[in-house]
Amino acid sequence: MGVDIDIHLCGTGGMSELAAEYADASATTTYHGYVSEAKKVELMSKSWLQLVPSRWESFGLVVLEASAAGTPVVASDIVGLSETVKDGVNGVRVAKEEMIEACHKILTDEAYREELSRSAMEYARQYSWDNTAAEIQSLITEAEQCC
């Protein structure tokens, strides 16, 4: 069963030229290049999923941004994304051979997509600046008490 989708490619870097060429040849793909923070949030909040087919990531901030917007993520099953992509919570980590099937499930199963969207927003809340500051303060207090 086919799914009609619009693809939005954002960002700059080594793949920019290829992304622009692909978008030029496709009626359903838009290459935005660099986008402002406001535009990024707008695009993420309107998206049904975000694809992160990375070969390498150190952390996966883009995953948390998508999660905060309620956008489920289909990501490469790599170590750098294991901290931010929680299978069945804010998306799925899969081998590259399984990405199309994972995207198809999210795009066609509305109940699954809505559950991932809801739980993604809930998951992203733990990464607030307030929580981070509290954790750092706790570490400082612990270090002060030990020495």
Side-chain angles (χ1 to χ4, degrees), residues 13-32:
M15 302 290 286
S16 297
E17 190 174 309
L18 181 62
E21 288 175 12
Y22 180 82
D24 286 344
S26 171
T28 59
T29 302
T30 303
Y31 174 62
H32 297 273

Side-chain angles (χ1 to χ4, degrees), residues 10 17 25 31 34 38 51-52 59 64 81 84 96 101-103 113 115 118 142:
C10 301
E17 190 174 309
Y31 174 62
Y34 172 81
L51 181 63
V52 185
F59 177 67
L64 294 180
L81 296 174
T84 54
K96 69 178 183 177
E101 184 178 330
C103 289
R113 183 176 64 249
E115 175 58 25
R118 184 198 59 72
E142 185 179 323

Side-chain angles (χ1 to χ4, degrees), residues 6-8 10 39-51 66 69-73 106-107 113 117:
D6 290 323
I7 299 171
H8 293 268
C10 301
K39 183 67 172 178
K40 178 173 57 173
V41 170
E42 175 192 338
L43 288 168
M44 283 187 187
S45 65
K46 290 180 179 179
S47 296
W48 282 12
L49 72 83
Q50 181 178 42
L51 181 63
T71 304
V73 174
I106 290 171
L107 292 171
R113 183 176 64 249
S117 176

